[in-house]
């Protein structure tokens, strides 16, 4: 008797369809023609490192290219000479797989290919959230088949992370694929000719900057990135860009807020959650407190707001940035914080694309910069605020909690000509013995000294590119150290 709700042959036929390399030895050209995301270079080593007996969980927001990355990973395995009939891709949302367990599907793959020995296999389960109790199934597979690498992906990010943390200790390795960085946008559209290494250096030469060879053209693409650049599919499609709300809001935002299991976080009023997210999106980069959020949202209970923010954070839609003061002191009781969208194009989708002269452009440029820093899970950037001043972005030494660097994010050339007007930044640097700081501009670049502080000016687009590029380099080093 078949273990499947449909005939076993029907299921096997679907498996053959999803795995054309079982016959051809190749991934479909539709996927091989696509440029891989740069994050693939970080993900692939985790898949092929068989010294660690864990399943790899690829998670992230909707439409950031997780499925395409899985196919590019399959392509890499084939190019390295792995047996094509021991590589299986299974999309769990496919109707003929309904109610089938992961082990049943893996068993049928072995039976269909004739490769019965459960060793040397790479098994990819896409959209794993469609299987009830997937984490229990996956943990059992990891324990039962030590010679097999299991890789799963899912878009219900909040639920996926929660269940992975609860059930996968010691069995799962999580990998977050975020929205596109500006560096990846430049890479995918093959625009690297717009930049070249700069003589400017930061942090005693630890970080090299870039010169924009055509700042006007780079800023045009930076604005396009801000409005549409978070998702690979969108940057290549003019039709989607003409109506981003229809694509991003309905296919990405609404499904996260309405379908991706907000009940896990005790959320019953989805409309209330939706309203809160819209308000945050419009005000991305502003400082909030639970007291203020409660008033703005019509008196929603503070504990309820905490759950909403926790869910939106777990769903990779927003990030909180905590506050310190001009002496970088840590507050015992955190009452104020900033909230940023993890991807500035979410705002454009909810409301309308923004222009370079829009009143909100400064806050959205700040959101774009912070969205690159959010990819560094080993750093928690802060902002400093005190009664007479504010600095947009600071980094603390994790041992001494002393400031290491400071950045003022501006979409203006004014402060290049008038550095003395950067009173808050200069005051913060003096109070914390910082000898240098970074200031972003529209298109001015150079170094000036003011009140004994070296100010490195760099166009915001270039700085955003640099943060994303260096993040990937540092992530690659960290993954390499972990594997070695």
């Amino acid at each position: 008797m078949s273990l499947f709700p449909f005939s076993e042959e029907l299921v096997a036929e679907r498996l053959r369809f999803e795995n054309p390399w079982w016959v051809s030895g190749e991934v479909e050209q539709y996927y091989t023609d696509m440029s891989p995301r740069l994050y693939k270079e970080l993900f692939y080593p985790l898949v092929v490192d068989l010294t660690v007996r864990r399943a790899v969980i690829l998670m992230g927001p909707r439409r950031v290219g997780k499925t395409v990355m899985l196919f590019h990973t399959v392509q890499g395995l084939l190019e390295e000479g792995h047996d094509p009939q021991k590589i299986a891709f299974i999309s769990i949302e496919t109707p003929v797989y309904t109610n089938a367990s992961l082990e049943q599907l893996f068993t049928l793959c072995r039976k269909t290919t004739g490769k019965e020995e459960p060793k040397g296999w790479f098994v990819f389960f896409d959209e794993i959230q469609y299987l009830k109790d997937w984490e229990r199934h996956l943990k059992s597979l990891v324990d039962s088949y030590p010679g097999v690498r299991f890789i799963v992906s899912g878009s219900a990010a909040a639920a996926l992370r929660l269940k992975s943390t609860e059930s996968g200790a010691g069995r799962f390795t999580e990998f977050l694929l975020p929205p596109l960085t500006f560096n990846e946008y430049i890479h995918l559209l093959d625009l690297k000719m717009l930049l070249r290494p700069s003589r400017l250096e930061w942090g005693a030469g630890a970080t090299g900057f870039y010169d924009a060879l055509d700042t006007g053209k780079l800023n045009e693409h930076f604005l396009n990135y801000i409005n549409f650049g978070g998702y690979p599919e969108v940057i290549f499609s003019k039709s989607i860009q003409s109506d981003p709300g229809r694509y991003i809001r309905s296919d990405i935002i609404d499904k996260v807020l309405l379908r991706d299991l907000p009940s896990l976080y005790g959320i019953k009023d989805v409309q209330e959650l939706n309203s809160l997210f819209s308000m945050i999106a419009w005000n991305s980069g502003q400082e909030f407190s639970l007291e203020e959020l409660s008033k703005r949202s019509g008196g929603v209970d503070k504990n309820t707001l905490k759950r909403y923010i926790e869910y939106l954070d777990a769903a990779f839609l927003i990030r909180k940035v905590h506050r310190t003061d001009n002496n970088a002191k840590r507050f015992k009781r955190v009452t104020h914080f900033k909230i940023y969208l993890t991807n500035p194009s979410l705002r454009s989708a909810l409301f309308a694309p923004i222009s370079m002269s829009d009143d909100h452009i400064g806050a959205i440029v700040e959101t774009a910069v912070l969205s690159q820093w959010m990819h560094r899970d080993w750093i928690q950037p802060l902002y400093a605020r005190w009664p007479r001043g504010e600095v947009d972005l600071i980094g603390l030494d994790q041992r001494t909690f002393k400031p290491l660097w400071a950045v003022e994010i501006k979409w203006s050339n004014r402060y290049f000509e008038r550095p003395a007007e950067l009173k808050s930044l200069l005051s913060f640097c003096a109070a914390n013995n910082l000898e240098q700081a970074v200031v972003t501009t529209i298109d001015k670049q150079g170094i000036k000294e003011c009140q004994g502080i070296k100010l490195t000016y760099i166009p915001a687009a270039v700085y955003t590119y640099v943060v994303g590029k260096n993040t990937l380099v540092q992530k690659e080093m960290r993954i390499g150290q972990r594997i070695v």
Side-chain angles (χ1 to χ4, degrees):
M1 181 179 177
S2 173
L3 297 171
F4 297 95
F6 299 93
S7 73
E8 188 174 288
E9 180 51 37
L10 180 63
V11 178
E13 188 59 35
R14 178 66 192 187
L15 289 172
R16 294 188 193 98
F17 173 79
E18 288 192 321
N19 296 270
W21 50 86
W22 287 355
V23 175
S24 68
E26 299 177 346
V27 175
E28 286 181 288
Q29 188 176 352
Y30 173 79
Y31 294 104
T32 58
D33 283 348
M34 295 181 186
S35 295
R37 282 197 57 174
L38 294 175
Y39 269 72
K40 185 235 177 184
E41 298 304 315
L42 305 180
F43 179 68
Y44 190 79
L46 297 178
V47 173
V48 297
D49 178 26
L50 303 180
T51 63
V52 180
R53 187 176 163 186
R54 289 187 172 194
V56 180
I57 301 180
L58 175 62
M59 60 178 65
R62 291 180 177 274
R63 313 304 293 183
V64 295
K66 295 185 296 298
T67 299
V68 174
M69 181 177 283
L70 293 185
F71 279 113
H72 284 152
T73 302
V74 171
Q75 181 184 0
L77 292 172
L78 293 172
E79 290 172 351
E80 286 190 353
H82 291 276
D83 187 343
Q85 292 189 322
K86 284 194 171 183
I87 301 172
F89 179 92
I90 304 166
S91 181
I92 298 299
E93 63 180 331
T94 303
V96 295
Y97 302 149
T98 301
N99 297 325
S101 72
L102 300 185
E103 185 163 15
Q104 288 167 358
L105 291 168
F106 177 40
T107 299
L108 187 55
C109 284
R110 304 200 317 271
K111 181 178 179 181
T112 303
T113 60
K115 304 287 185 175
E116 294 281 1
E117 184 184 11
K119 187 176 181 181
W121 277 81
F122 292 86
V123 184
F124 297 81
F125 295 109
D126 195 25
E127 298 294 356
I128 194 69
Q129 74 271 7
Y130 288 100
L131 176 66
K132 185 179 180 181
D133 297 326
W134 65 266
E135 70 284 0
R136 179 172 55 82
H137 290 255
L138 185 59
K139 184 174 181 292
S140 176
L141 282 179
V142 173
D143 291 338
S144 301
Y145 299 98
V148 178
R149 169 67 87 215
F150 295 100
I151 307 99
V152 307
S153 78
S155 297
L160 217 63
R161 170 173 279 180
L162 182 65
K163 290 190 175 184
S164 172
T165 302
E166 287 179 347
S167 305
R171 297 292 187 273
F172 304 160
T173 295
E174 297 177 1
F175 185 95
L176 170 62
L177 184 64
L180 289 180
T181 62
F182 189 45
N183 172 42
E184 288 187 291
Y185 172 96
I186 294 293
H187 164 74
L188 290 176
L189 291 180
D190 198 21
L191 298 169
K192 292 186 286 296
M193 76 292 293
L194 293 175
L195 298 126
R196 69 178 178 192
S198 169
R199 292 182 179 180
L200 289 178
E201 291 186 337
W202 169 251
T207 298
F209 283 127
Y210 285 77
D211 290 324
L213 297 179
D214 185 339
T215 308
K217 194 70 174 176
L218 184 66
N219 279 341
E220 286 179 19
H221 281 288
F222 185 47
L223 184 67
N224 198 59
Y225 169 75
I226 284 173
N227 283 321
F228 315 111
Y231 306 98
E233 193 172 349
V234 181
I235 67 173
F236 292 109
S237 173
K238 293 299 181 184
S239 62
I240 294 177
Q241 290 178 21
S242 68
D243 188 8
R246 182 177 181 183
Y247 173 85
I248 299 176
R249 185 172 57 243
S250 64
D251 200 34
I252 298 171
I253 299 173
D254 288 351
K255 286 181 180 178
V256 170
L257 297 179
L258 302 177
R259 285 179 44 185
D260 287 352
L261 307 179
S263 59
L264 283 172
Y265 288 78
I267 296 171
K268 297 178 180 177
D269 192 335
V270 177
Q271 188 58 48
E272 200 170 67
L273 172 68
N274 203 358
S275 297
L276 175 68
F277 178 67
S278 296
M279 188 265 287
I280 289 173
W282 180 257
N283 296 286
S284 179
Q286 285 196 16
E287 186 178 59
F288 295 97
S289 69
L290 289 176
E291 186 85 30
E292 292 164 357
L293 283 174
S294 180
K295 289 178 181 178
R296 289 199 197 188
S297 56
V300 177
D301 179 73
K302 292 180 185 177
N303 288 326
T304 301
L305 286 172
K306 283 182 180 178
R307 287 199 302 274
Y308 289 172
I309 292 171
E310 181 185 359
Y311 174 75
L312 293 172
D313 185 281
F316 307 111
L317 292 175
I318 66 168
R319 280 291 183 273
K320 282 172 60 177
V321 175
H322 293 291
R323 172 181 166 180
T324 184
D325 65 8
N326 59 325
N327 293 310
K329 291 181 180 177
R330 303 181 76 188
F331 296 112
K332 293 181 179 178
R333 183 169 173 264
V334 179
T335 57
H336 288 78
F337 46 85
K338 285 187 177 183
I339 302 180
Y340 292 91
L341 293 170
T342 55
N343 169 15
S345 61
L346 289 170
R347 186 186 187 279
S348 299
L350 281 171
F351 305 108
I354 199 167
S355 68
M356 288 187 182
S357 59
D358 192 284
D359 290 342
H360 288 84
I361 186 64
I364 300 308
V365 167
E366 190 175 324
T367 297
V369 170
L370 263 292
S371 71
Q372 317 300 299
W373 278 101
M374 292 171 195
H375 297 213
R376 303 190 184 193
D377 49 14
W378 63 94
I379 290 179
Q380 288 190 325
L382 306 169
Y383 71 100
R385 193 165 192 173
W386 60 100
R388 295 186 179 180
E390 179 178 343
V391 176
D392 293 325
L393 189 60
I394 66 170
L396 298 184
D397 186 307
Q398 296 302 305
R399 296 166 299 174
T400 65
F401 299 107
K402 299 291 185 182
L404 292 172
W405 47 265
V407 179
E408 190 65 22
I409 305 167
K410 301 291 188 185
W411 183 251
S412 170
N413 290 330
R414 171 179 175 174
Y415 302 96
F416 183 81
E417 306 298 340
R418 305 173 184 176
E421 292 187 7
L422 294 165
K423 294 179 181 179
S424 295
L425 179 63
L426 295 169
S427 171
F428 182 86
C429 289
N432 293 282
N433 299 314
L434 290 178
E435 297 178 352
Q436 57 184 341
V438 169
V439 183
T440 69
T441 66
I442 295 176
D443 55 20
K444 297 293 185 180
Q445 183 160 309
I447 296 175
K448 294 192 175 185
E449 188 168 313
C450 184
Q451 299 176 21
I453 309 298
K454 185 175 81 170
L455 300 174
T456 300
Y457 292 87
I458 183 169
V462 176
Y463 181 74
T464 305
Y465 173 83
V466 167
V467 175
K469 185 177 182 65
N470 289 333
T471 296
L472 275 171
V473 171
Q474 293 183 34
K475 277 181 172 281
E476 191 168 358
M477 290 172 59
R478 285 169 172 266
I479 288 177
Q481 289 169 358
R482 219 162 47 223
I483 290 176
V484 171

